[in-house]
């Protein structure tokens, strides 16, 4: 993903989702498309806050657990998906099957994750 595609996702998917669900803080890691000047400038202009994410931090993004499950399912289909559009269709299908209860539990674990990082003082954590 490059900065232009990422910005398009932010504008047309993330922003409407945040508005519809009354979400005030946006979280992302330090992927290059997330830290581009273009992306930073656009995020600066928005009404929601963007959580600061230190470089080389432990991966605290709870959504990674869902992505890990999706990747595991995709890995089982290795060789059966040969085209980009097939991959996109399969990812969308798998994402739609993610249980919202699991996502809520992951979201609720965030304070514990943050406390664990602070307690670990640059050490690894169990998440």
């Amino acid at each position: 993903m490059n900065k232009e595609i990422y910005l398009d996702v932010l504008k047309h998917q993330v922003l409407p989702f945040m508005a519809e669900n009354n979400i005030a803080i946006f979280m992302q890691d330090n992927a290059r498309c997330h830290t581009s000047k273009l992306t930073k400038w656009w995020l600066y202009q928005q009404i929601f806050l963007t959580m600061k994410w230190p470089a080389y931090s432990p991966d605290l993004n709870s959504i990674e657990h869902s992505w890990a499950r999706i990747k595991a399912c995709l890995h089982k289909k290795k060789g059966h998906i040969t085209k980009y559009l097939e991959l996109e269709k399969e990812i969308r299908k798998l994402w739609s099957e993610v249980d919202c209860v699991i996502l809520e539990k992951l979201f609720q674990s965030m304070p514990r994750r943050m406390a664990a990082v602070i307690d670990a003082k640059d050490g690894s954590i169990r998440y």
Side-chain angles (χ1 to χ4, degrees):
M1 180 171 294
N2 63 32
K3 62 186 174 189
E4 289 82 11
I5 294 171
Y6 184 61
L7 188 57
D8 187 64
V9 170
L10 289 174
K11 287 178 180 178
H12 299 104
Q13 295 178 29
V14 174
L15 183 61
F17 177 83
M18 290 181 70
E20 289 169 19
N21 293 283
N22 200 28
I23 298 171
I25 300 175
F26 180 63
M27 182 176 71
Q28 62 182 359
D29 61 18
N30 286 311
R32 284 188 181 188
C33 59
H34 300 174
T35 59
S36 73
K37 288 180 183 178
L38 177 68
T39 302
K40 284 181 177 180
W41 177 247
W42 186 83
L43 288 169
Y44 175 76
Q45 295 174 319
Q46 303 312 305
I47 58 171
F48 55 84
L49 299 173
T50 302
M51 182 184 286
K52 302 271 189 241
W53 205 262
Y56 308 109
S57 66
D59 193 358
L60 295 174
N61 192 339
S62 54
I63 205 71
E64 294 298 332
H65 291 274
S66 296
W67 277 118
R69 289 186 180 130
I70 290 171
K71 288 176 189 175
C73 290
L74 288 172
H75 187 70
K76 291 177 186 174
K77 296 178 182 248
K78 191 174 181 178
H80 298 288
I81 300 173
T82 59
K83 296 180 181 164
Y84 177 81
L85 290 176
E86 291 172 0
L87 176 62
E88 181 181 3
K89 183 179 176 182
E90 189 62 26
I91 290 171
R92 288 181 184 275
K93 176 185 166 287
L94 291 168
W95 179 250
S96 71
E97 295 170 359
V98 172
D99 187 350
C100 290
V101 172
I102 292 171
L103 294 176
E104 180 64 26
K105 286 180 181 178
L106 289 169
F107 175 75
Q108 295 298 329
S109 73
M110 199 60 175
R112 291 188 307 276
R113 291 166 182 269
M114 300 301 285
V117 168
I118 292 166
D119 291 345
K121 297 180 182 164
D122 293 331
S124 62
I125 62 171
R126 69 180 183 92
Y127 292 99

